[in-house]
Amino acid sequence: MTKADDTIKAERNAKAAERMRKWRAANPQSPDQRAKAAEKSRKWRQVNKQRHQAYMRAWRDANREKVSFYQRARRQKARAAKNEARTD
């Protein structure tokens, strides 16, 4: 496969995912379906403990970067407000 084929395939997958998200928003799961999906994922996590732990570790690492970015921005904003209050 060429790079163009990979790009086309990725775009196609993205469009399909967007259609699915729109469809799911218009057709939410019933409580029974939600319970079945939760049970299925619970079983998967029990059977694949190491994969789940690795996935969660990676998710936390990525999320930690986002959280620290927003925390820094919030601190800078608070510092700026505090400095502005002092100068008034």
Side-chain angles (χ1 to χ4, degrees):
M1 286 180 106
T2 64
K3 199 171 191 177
D5 291 338
D6 291 341
T7 304
I8 291 169
K9 187 175 181 182
E11 289 173 355
R12 189 180 314 128
N13 289 343
K15 285 181 182 179
E18 181 60 29
R19 280 194 304 272
M20 184 60 191
R21 280 191 292 273
K22 283 183 180 179
W23 184 87
R24 180 50 67 197
N27 302 287
Q29 290 182 327
S30 71
D32 292 339
Q33 288 172 322
R34 233 177 290 134
K36 283 182 184 177
E39 182 61 29
K40 184 178 177 182
S41 63
R42 216 174 285 120
K43 284 181 182 177
W44 184 90
R45 286 193 300 267
Q46 288 174 351
V47 172
N48 300 289
K49 285 185 180 180
Q50 289 179 339
R51 284 179 64 189
H52 175 64
Q53 288 171 350
Y55 172 78
M56 290 307 295
R57 198 175 305 118
W59 182 87
R60 284 188 198 105
D61 290 344
N63 196 42
R64 193 175 297 121
E65 292 172 8
K66 288 181 194 175
V67 169
S68 64
F69 170 77
Y70 288 116
Q71 285 176 344
R72 271 195 307 275
R74 197 173 343 145
R75 285 188 205 119
Q76 288 174 349
K77 189 175 179 182
R79 245 184 260 124
K82 192 175 183 179
N83 289 339
E84 189 174 313
R86 284 184 187 170
T87 58
D88 288 342

